[in-house]
Amino acid sequence: MVPYLFLYGTLKQGFPNASSLPLCLHAQFCGNASTEKPMRLVLSPQSAYSIPFLLPDEKHGSRTQVRGEVYFLAGLSKSEVDSTLKFLDEFEAVQNGLYDRVEIDVRLENQESKSDVHKAWTYVRSYNDGPEWIREWNVSKLAKLEYFSEYSKEQSQLYVPRNQRNS
C-alpha cells in the first residue's frame, strides 16, 4: 500500500475544495512537501475554470519541484484508505478521464535524507479526453501554459467550483 497522499491544488488546507475531504481529514497531516522529481503544475484558462493540473510526465519541457501537502494514510484502516481513495477518485473524475491517480515520490520540507523521500498518491491530468468542457485542454496544450512551483491563494481566487460551472 502507498502510505501517503500528496495534495497540490484546491484540496489543500484553506483552499476552495478542502471542505470536500471528510475522510482525508482523518488522515494525519505530515506537513508541506515537494515532488522529488521536477514536474509541471499549470492552471487551466478561465474558460476552463482555472483548475490546477499536475502534468503526468517529463516530456513537456521545463519543470520544477511542485509544493503541496502530504497526508499519512497508513494510520487508517484498510477500509478507510479504500473509501478515501474511492472518494478522491470520484471527486477528481478519474472515471471520466479528467485525472489519473499515480504514485510519485515526495520529500517533506526540511528533510535532507534520502530516507525522507516517500511514495505518495497524487492526481495528474489524464491523457484521456476527459469531460466535454476540458477536451480542448489536453495534456499537450496544457503543457504550453506557464507553469508554477505551487498553487497559490491568489490563483485559487480564479477557480470556478463545480456547482457554478456551465457543464
Side-chain angles (χ1 to χ4, degrees):
M1 177 182 91
V2 175
Y4 293 90
L5 175 66
F6 178 73
L7 303 177
Y8 59 86
T10 65
L11 292 170
K12 294 190 303 183
Q13 295 176 25
F15 282 74
N17 287 322
S19 62
S20 299
L21 289 173
L23 296 171
C24 289
L25 293 177
H26 295 114
Q28 178 186 348
F29 174 69
C30 296
N32 294 319
S34 295
T35 57
E36 179 69 357
K37 290 185 178 178
M39 299 182 82
R40 287 182 72 87
L41 173 64
V42 299
L43 191 63
S44 69
Q46 284 187 301
S47 64
Y49 310 118
S50 300
I51 299 170
F53 287 107
L54 198 56
L55 300 186
D57 59 32
E58 301 173 358
K59 64 182 176 183
H60 297 291
S62 299
R63 302 168 310 281
T64 187
Q65 267 82 22
V66 174
R67 291 187 72 229
E69 298 175 347
V70 171
Y71 292 82
F72 185 60
L73 297 175
L76 301 175
S77 70
K78 181 178 179 346
S79 65
E80 287 174 321
V81 170
D82 290 346
S83 61
T84 296
L85 293 175
K86 181 178 185 247
F87 172 86
L88 286 167
D89 287 353
E90 289 171 7
F91 184 86
E92 299 291 11
V94 169
Q95 70 281 3
N96 294 334
L98 184 58
Y99 286 92
D100 289 326
R101 177 169 32 108
V102 299
E103 183 181 313
I104 64 168
D105 291 328
V106 296
R107 181 183 298 279
L108 287 168
E109 285 188 1
N110 303 318
Q111 307 292 319
E112 298 300 322
S113 165
K114 267 288 205 211
S115 64
D116 294 316
V117 174
H118 303 286
K119 297 284 184 198
W121 290 118
T122 198
Y123 291 83
V124 298
R125 176 65 173 101
S126 178
Y127 274 108
N128 295 321
D129 286 338
E132 183 76 31
W133 57 267
I134 196 69
R135 287 189 183 146
E136 173 187 356
W137 291 98
N138 60 33
V139 171
S140 296
K141 191 168 180 181
L142 286 168
K144 295 175 184 171
L145 299 174
E146 179 181 6
Y147 66 95
F148 306 93
S149 61
E150 184 171 18
Y151 183 61
S152 70
K153 290 281 190 175
E154 294 80 25
Q155 290 168 319
S156 75
Q157 299 301 311
L158 302 171
Y159 174 75
V160 178
R162 290 175 189 198
N163 63 354
Q164 296 176 17
R165 296 178 191 167
N166 294 331
S167 50

